[in-house]
Amino acid sequence: MASTRDDAFTAYVSSRRAQLFRAAYLLCGDPHRAEDIVQTALAKLYVAWPRASKADSVDAYVRRIIVNSHLDEHRRPWRRESPTEDDRLDRAAPTGVSPEDSDALWRALRSLGPKQRRVVVLRHYWGLSVEEAAADLGVSPGTIKSQTSAALEKLRHLLTPTEPAGSGLRGARR
């Protein structure tokens, strides 16, 4: 019996681990913390595997664990320390995106509050509907809509290039 449980859990983890790591990384912006979050989430998932494997959606169950694990990690006192900017040197640049654009995108994502970042990750990385994101976070669909709108407006404002002074062009920013 335990072998079947372990086999099913191992199969799920090996097919989804990379996606779970990317989601955790998008939530926290730090590969080391993302690994910690994923490891914590997988340990919790293993304990709850008999119940989770019977759920309507194991992915939704795991997403909720990852978001909650991120919240737990974020609340720890030593997490209030801010890392130096040198941690960017340890990351590989994403393919297809210039380093300048990647840096600008990460700065913009870091400027979002934790709630807005969670909503953006769930809606635009995981591709969840408003209702699914609301269920995962335990909030109303209206909250998801307003947080998404505010987050996207902030990202749009931060990522829209401004025209140089004296160019004669108006309306560079919305």
Side-chain angles (χ1 to χ4, degrees):
M1 180 87 164
S3 176
T4 307
R5 173 186 175 179
D6 289 350
D7 293 342
F9 178 78
T10 302
Y12 178 80
V13 171
S14 43
S15 69
R16 294 300 219 188
R17 190 170 193 310
Q19 186 178 15
L20 299 176
F21 172 77
R22 285 190 300 270
Y25 181 67
L26 289 171
L27 285 171
C28 69
D30 177 10
H32 304 293
R33 284 183 57 202
E35 280 293 338
D36 291 346
I37 290 169
V38 170
Q39 288 301 316
T40 301
L42 290 177
K44 290 177 181 179
L45 178 63
Y46 183 77
V47 170
W49 185 250
R51 183 176 62 245
S53 63
K54 294 175 186 164
D56 290 338
S57 173
V58 177
D59 289 335
Y61 198 94
V62 174
R63 279 193 305 268
R64 184 64 186 233
I65 293 174
I66 285 179
V67 169
N68 288 342
S69 295
H70 168 33
L71 289 172
D72 292 345
E73 282 289 311
H74 188 69
R75 290 181 186 132
R76 298 205 170 136
W78 60 84
R79 296 294 184 201
R80 293 186 194 121
E81 299 174 9
S82 58
T84 64
E85 290 298 315
D86 292 336
D87 68 332
R88 293 179 295 132
L89 300 175
D90 294 335
R91 288 188 282 231
T95 58
V97 178
S98 72
E100 296 80 17
D101 289 343
S102 178
D103 287 345
L105 180 59
W106 278 112
R107 274 193 306 275
L109 284 172
R110 282 189 196 112
S111 73
L112 295 177
K115 292 178 183 177
Q116 288 181 348
R117 187 183 302 177
R118 271 182 240 131
V119 170
V120 167
V121 169
L122 289 176
R123 294 276 292 128
H124 298 285
Y125 175 73
W126 284 95
L128 299 183
S129 68
V130 170
E131 291 75 22
E132 290 170 326
D136 276 10
L137 294 177
V139 298
S140 72
T143 300
I144 296 296
K145 290 177 186 177
S146 65
Q147 290 288 324
T148 301
S149 176
L152 293 179
E153 183 58 35
K154 185 170 185 177
L155 290 173
R156 194 175 299 117
H157 175 74
L158 292 170
L159 296 172
T160 302
T162 57
E163 295 297 324
S167 67
L169 298 176
R170 292 186 226 176
R173 281 208 161 142
R174 288 176 37 151

